[in-house]
Amino acid sequence: MGFFCTFTFNMIEKSKLLKIGSLAKPHGVTGEMLIRLLPEWHGYEPDPDFLFIDLQGGLVPFEVHAIRYRNDQDLLVILDTISTEEKARRVQSADVYIDPEELGQEPAHTEFSIHQLVGFEVTDKNMGALGPIRSVADIQNNPLIELFYKEREILVPIHSEFIVRIDMEKRQMDIDAPAGLIELYLE
């Protein structure tokens, strides 16, 4: 008598998962990857145990070793078995899915986006007029405004304790920069 063995495979169904974006590119050489979120998921902070990557039409689960938020639309992840830049490039552009319960809470909607500050005239309590905001660096937990003052690039954190007033109509922002911060850029 021969031994007969049967296996039952439970395929992961896409319909039970949520597509959150795609793998954009490797980030560094250790296998960390950038996930670009779909617009409808911007601002969410998913905390999944597993990500499901669409590889050749089938979903493959990868355990999440680390996840961090680069900004509202980008996540950086480290997954098991993907430990080099070369391995990360092999899955580049693949769609990424998660369990809908791991999406996290809907982001709070604010009256304006910090990116709307570009072009606002900035005045510091001690230094006076600094000029217009040239750009906003939306760094997770530390967004910065970029100014050019006296032909130097100045970066100032957008933090409630440094902002005195924002006038949306006049497109002006009054700040009280930390002592010595602006001078540091002028040396």
Side-chain angles (χ1 to χ4, degrees), residues 92-147:
Q92 187 173 337
S93 301
D95 290 334
V96 178
Y97 294 78
I98 65 168
D99 181 327
E101 293 180 11
E102 296 181 318
L103 181 60
Q105 293 186 3
E106 184 174 0
H109 295 287
T110 57
E111 291 182 22
F112 70 96
S113 163
I114 60 173
H115 295 286
Q116 290 175 305
L117 295 173
V118 173
F120 277 46
E121 291 292 327
V122 177
T123 303
D124 179 66
K125 179 181 173 184
N126 297 310
M127 301 293 292
L130 299 177
I133 297 173
R134 303 217 16 181
S135 69
V136 174
D138 193 5
I139 301 168
Q140 182 72 18
N141 296 324
N142 191 28
L144 304 167
I145 57 173
E146 177 189 1
L147 310 160

Side-chain angles (χ1 to χ4, degrees), residues 25-63:
K25 61 181 180 177
H27 186 78
V29 295
T30 61
E32 187 173 39
M33 292 177 290
L34 176 79
I35 296 176
R36 178 100 350 110
L37 294 175
L38 293 170
E40 60 265 37
W41 308 124
H42 288 183
Y44 281 81
E45 294 185 356
D47 190 21
D49 293 324
F50 288 88
L51 290 178
F52 300 88
I53 299 177
D54 189 344
L55 298 176
Q56 300 177 352
L59 292 179
V60 178
F62 288 88
E63 186 177 1

Side-chain angles (χ1 to χ4, degrees), residues 30-33 53 62 78-84 87-88 91:
T30 61
E32 187 173 39
M33 292 177 290
I53 299 177
F62 288 88
I78 297 175
L79 304 175
D80 68 335
T81 70
I82 299 178
S83 57
T84 66
K87 288 180 181 180
V91 295

Side-chain angles (χ1 to χ4, degrees), residues 53 118 162 165 176:
I53 299 177
V118 173
F162 306 140
R165 178 180 68 91
D176 185 6

